[in-house]
Amino acid sequence: MYSYYLTIVLAPLAAAIIAGLAGNKIGRAGAHWITIIGVGLSCALSLLVLKNMFWGGAAAENISVYTWAVTDGLRMEVGFLVDRLTALMMCVVTFVSLAVHIYTIGYMHDDPGYTRFFSYISLFTFSMLMLVMSNNFLQLFFGWEAVGLVSYLLIGFWFKRESAIFANLKAFLVNRVGDFGFILGIAAVVMLTGSLDYATVFGGAEAMAEQSIEVLPGNPWNAMTVTCILLFIGAMGKSAQAPLHVWLPDSMEGPTPISALIHAATMVTAGIFMVARMSPLFELSTTALAVVIVIGSITAFFMGLLGIVQNDIKRVVAYSTLSQLGYMTVALGASAYSAAIFHLMTHAFFKALLFLAAGSVIIAMHHEQDIRKMGGIRKYMPITYWTALIGSLALIGFPGSSGFFSKDLLIEAVRESHWHGQGAVYWIAYLSVLLGVFVTALYSFRMFFLVFHGDERMSEKEKSHLHETPAVVTVPLIMLAIPSAVIGWFTVGPVLFGDYFGDAIHVSSAHDVLGHMGEAWHGSLGLLTHAVMTPVFWLAAAGVFTAWFLYLKRPDIPATIQSKFSALYKLLDRKYYFDDLYIKGFAAGGRNFGKFLWQKGDELIIDGVIVNGTANTIARLAGVMRHIQTGYLYTYAFAMIIGLTTLLGWLIWLR
């Protein structure tokens, strides 16, 4: 198995290097074939690992591959921890990446950066695999930063666009804020345990929880709480939780395939995975779990509202990602780590499907992305239509879809969690995820109806060229639509209630909400028949009906609502003014402060007073001294007499 793990990680890396450095020699076909083979090999071996773990009963493996350095007893290593959590993440990452690689052949067909793009997405896959397979914090941080770096390159892939450059800088800077907290959390782990190794750190978790840290002198804080909150700040950046969410919608400036890869299987899921991996730590800090669940609740509901007012097809899906990441974070805060990972898995399939379906529409519409300029596309693009419908139904949790099993049970886990009866935290979390169901259905089917149904609002020229996209685009849609529709049926039982994760996820007995729910579990069919009696089903149905009524039956009403509630619409349209705060507040404030230091500190004090002031003083003194140098002997004799007289007087005075 050791060689399997190395092959899984290194195959995409080798393909990325070949496509990147030898792209001109191997050509466009060579670039996409080498990367598809590399990622395909990783996917096949990942599925084999999952098979051996789940059906073959293979034990988890903790392997040290390479010791980079040892200093003061602190070992810095490259290694693999392959358990059932890792195996699941490996399969999700490589399968979605494989579908995106195939899709990219069609989407980027005419792009001059074709080989470079394939190199980047293969490198992205390698980075994410290094992250999820790590057995220590050093390698985790390497993968963490590597996915950030490649996302920067991909978001700004079309680097001649000012908007793309702005978006990748925004993503880079916002993630630096989260990563600063993350590296402080790792530093706290090292300080408290003297180790970077997961097994050692988790083994010493109880001792960590008994220690304290003085963040401010005279104010001791629980060491575990501080450590977990710092680690979660890193997750807030990577997984785009409010208020560090602002970079994710702008990442739509990159090509659509990378939108699918970032949002579905790689970068944004890293934070969710990390918190689940750190469950032995988070379970020992109720305060940290409270922070997690409240931040997730705010993100789940309020970011979903922003999707209602978006008109760019990709941005609607992007705000959906923000909201669904909030759902996963809420599950983490409710100690339902398995539910969070389960929703991460199902979400990866249907969210990648929705992005790629949006890309298919964009290709057919000659890169038009405004849903107000579409409509009635269903009859022109039947495969895209049906796959997009499957993705949309999974997103809203339609009974029987993969999203139904993961989302409904996630909400139920929040309702039954240890926060029940704990006042504000419980009600913030539960109402946010419950009301978010209506919001999700509303914005999802608003987009679906405006794009595929209703009047055709495109020009006659666009309509004449409108047709289904090639097989290289539609086949990945079908590949993703199948698990989006059916995977929940086969996985919900073992993943949530069958102890699939085993020791990979730790939950204290007092927080084991899924164990409690498992006592009443009667199988997938039982959950399906029960679905129509829950508020989740009726809220989703109400959202779909509202979207149908407002955007197909009475399309005049949304404009009336917008005019009557203009202040609310402006608040949503301006994204709660977060961009204004960060760009016009923090960024502009930083620039203005720098300008002040430059003008007052550099120009006035350093240049004006110290450098030029000194030079001017010497020049003036030299001007005075020049007048003393007359060239007459009697002047110098007189000066000498005055000097001697002064010296004698001073000596007499001293006596």
Side-chain angles (χ1 to χ4, degrees):
M1 295 299 291
Y2 180 82
S3 59
Y4 284 3
Y5 305 148
L6 283 176
T7 304
I8 289 168
V9 170
L10 296 179
L13 176 62
I17 293 172
I18 294 170
L21 299 182
N24 292 334
K25 293 183 179 180
I26 63 177
R28 295 161 70 91
H32 70 236
W33 275 116
I34 193 69
T35 52
I36 288 173
I37 291 171
V39 173
L41 180 59
S42 290
C43 182
L45 293 178
S46 296
L47 291 170
L48 180 60
V49 171
L50 181 64
K51 171 185 172 294
N52 291 335
M53 287 272 177
F54 185 60
W55 286 282
E61 295 190 68
N62 190 352
I63 303 168
S64 177
V65 176
Y66 172 71
T67 300
W68 178 51
V70 179
T71 173
D72 294 330
L74 182 66
R75 300 181 66 86
M76 301 181 183
E77 298 179 329
V78 175
F80 300 137
L81 171 59
V82 182
D83 53 19
R84 291 185 173 188
L85 173 59
T86 308
L88 180 64
M89 290 298 298
M90 288 160 57
C91 292
V92 170
V93 169
T94 55
F95 181 81
V96 174
S97 179
L98 178 61
V100 169
H101 274 70
I102 297 170
Y103 178 92
T104 300
I105 298 174
Y107 192 88
M108 301 293 287
H109 182 266
D110 299 321
D111 197 282
Y114 189 86
T115 58
R116 178 166 56 94
F117 189 81
F118 273 97
S119 176
Y120 285 173
I121 58 176
S122 190
L123 186 61
F124 209 159
T125 307
F126 158 75
S127 302
M128 191 64 185
L129 286 171
M130 284 292 285
L131 189 155
V132 300
M133 294 175 69
S134 61
N135 70 346
N136 64 84
F137 284 92
L138 179 66
Q139 186 175 326
L140 174 70
F141 189 70
F142 166 80
W144 195 268
E145 292 302 309
V147 293
L149 171 64
V150 185
S151 70
Y152 170 83
L153 296 173
L154 284 164
I155 293 169
F157 182 79
W158 288 320
F159 54 84
K160 294 184 179 180
R161 296 183 182 179
E162 289 294 329
S163 57
I165 297 301
F166 178 81
N168 71 356
L169 285 173
K170 188 176 183 181
F172 187 80
L173 292 173
V174 172
N175 273 278
R176 296 290 68 72
V177 176
D179 292 355
F180 182 67
F182 187 55
I183 199 168
L184 286 178
I186 295 175
V189 168
V190 174
M191 181 185 72
L192 294 167
T193 67
S195 178
L196 289 164
D197 182 70
Y198 289 164
T200 304
V201 172
F202 296 160
E206 295 284 352
M208 285 177 64
E210 296 174 358
Q211 299 183 56
S212 61
I213 296 177
E214 287 194 8
V215 179
L216 299 174
N219 292 283
W221 289 14
N222 180 267
M224 185 63 78
T225 296
V226 173
T227 302
C228 289
I229 290 176
L230 288 172
L231 292 173
F232 179 64
I233 290 172
M236 288 170 62
K238 276 290 183 289
S239 293
Q241 296 298 290
L244 301 181
H245 66 282
V246 293
W247 67 271
L248 192 60
D250 285 3
S251 69
M252 297 301 97
E253 290 296 331
T256 299
I258 198 52
S259 300
L261 200 55
I262 287 177
H263 286 241
T266 54
M267 186 170 172
V268 297
T269 61
I272 306 299
F273 165 79
M274 184 272 291
V275 175
R277 176 62 83 193
M278 300 300 139
S279 58
L281 306 183
F282 279 84
E283 280 299 285
L284 296 174
S285 175
T286 304
T287 303
L289 289 175
V291 172
V292 171
I293 199 170
V294 170
I295 292 294
S297 303
I298 293 170
T299 306
F301 180 68
F302 289 99
M303 296 305 111
L305 289 175
L306 297 183
I308 299 173
V309 301
Q310 300 300 312
N311 296 310
D312 184 306
I313 188 171
K314 286 171 64 177
R315 285 184 178 267
V316 176
V317 186
Y319 279 105
S320 165
T321 300
L322 282 173
S323 180
Q324 296 306 305
L325 289 168
Y327 273 85
M328 299 174 209
T329 305
V330 169
L332 295 172
S335 294
Y337 304 98
S338 299
I341 297 298
F342 184 49
H343 193 52
L344 183 156
M345 177 191 70
T346 61
H347 175 264
F349 296 123
F350 63 72
K351 185 52 59 67
L353 172 60
L354 286 172
F355 267 114
L356 298 188
S360 179
V361 171
I362 291 168
I363 294 171
M365 291 291 296
H366 297 279
H367 294 278
E368 175 60 64
Q369 296 184 199
D370 192 334
I371 59 178
R372 296 170 296 183
K373 298 179 182 179
M374 300 179 187
I377 294 179
R378 174 183 58 173
K379 63 183 179 181
Y380 301 101
M381 307 180 70
I383 298 176
T384 301
Y385 171 79
W386 286 108
T387 53
L389 177 60
I390 291 172
S392 299
L393 291 174
L395 176 59
I396 70 169
F398 183 80
S401 67
S402 62
F404 161 74
F405 292 105
S406 62
K407 196 172 182 179
D408 274 37
L409 289 171
L410 186 156
I411 295 170
E412 184 68 13
V414 173
R415 188 176 74 87
E416 298 287 340
S417 71
H418 64 277
W419 293 110
H420 187 78
Q422 298 295 314
V425 171
Y426 170 74
W427 287 110
I428 289 172
Y430 183 58
L431 290 178
S432 292
V433 294
L434 197 61
L435 295 176
V437 173
F438 173 82
V439 174
T440 300
L442 177 58
Y443 67 65
S444 299
F445 274 85
R446 169 183 177 263
M447 178 185 71
F448 184 80
F449 289 143
L450 287 177
V451 172
F452 294 104
H453 291 270
D455 298 330
E456 298 176 356
R457 296 178 296 278
M458 68 286 290
S459 67
E460 289 298 326
K461 182 180 179 181
E462 290 174 332
K463 192 185 303 183
S464 64
H465 297 290
L466 198 57
H467 58 81
E468 186 62 88
T469 45
V472 75
V473 173
T474 56
V475 167
L477 296 182
I478 297 170
M479 286 173 60
L480 292 165
I482 293 171
S484 297
V486 304
I487 199 169
W489 287 91
F490 309 108
T491 55
V492 60
V495 171
L496 291 190
F497 307 117
D499 194 31
Y500 164 80
F501 291 109
D503 295 334
I505 289 176
H506 171 74
V507 183
S508 66
S509 57
H511 295 171
D512 191 10
V513 59
L514 293 176
H516 172 68
M517 290 170 58
E519 296 173 2
W521 172 249
H522 298 297
S524 301
L525 189 60
L527 180 64
L528 186 65
T529 57
H530 178 69
V532 295
M533 295 183 286
T534 65
V536 176
F537 171 80
W538 292 107
L539 283 168
V544 174
F545 174 78
T546 304
W548 170 82
F549 184 77
L550 292 179
Y551 297 101
L552 290 183
K553 186 71 174 176
R554 291 290 305 276
D556 57 301
I557 294 180
T560 304
I561 295 174
Q562 180 180 332
S563 62
K564 289 188 176 182
F565 298 93
S566 57
L568 177 60
Y569 177 82
K570 186 177 180 181
L571 178 67
L572 297 177
D573 187 53
R574 297 299 293 272
K575 296 167 272 189
Y576 306 118
Y577 296 95
F578 273 108
D579 280 347
D580 292 330
L581 173 63
Y582 294 158
I583 297 170
K584 297 179 182 178
F586 295 149
R591 290 195 301 270
N592 290 334
F593 182 63
K595 184 178 180 181
F596 171 80
L597 292 178
W598 161 55
Q599 291 179 334
K600 304 302 181 183
D602 193 30
E603 287 192 332
L604 179 63
I605 298 175
I606 296 175
D607 289 345
V609 176
I610 298 176
V611 178
N612 295 331
T614 302
N616 293 334
T617 300
I618 293 174
R620 286 192 292 270
L621 181 61
V624 173
M625 296 298 293
R626 186 168 59 247
H627 293 293
I628 299 175
Q629 304 297 324
T630 63
Y632 295 109
L633 184 61
Y634 62 82
T635 303
Y636 300 146
F638 178 74
M640 290 171 64
I641 292 169
I642 293 298
L644 287 171
T645 303
T646 302
L647 180 59
L648 288 171
W650 179 65
L651 291 172
I652 293 169
W653 181 77
L654 288 176
R655 292 183 65 187

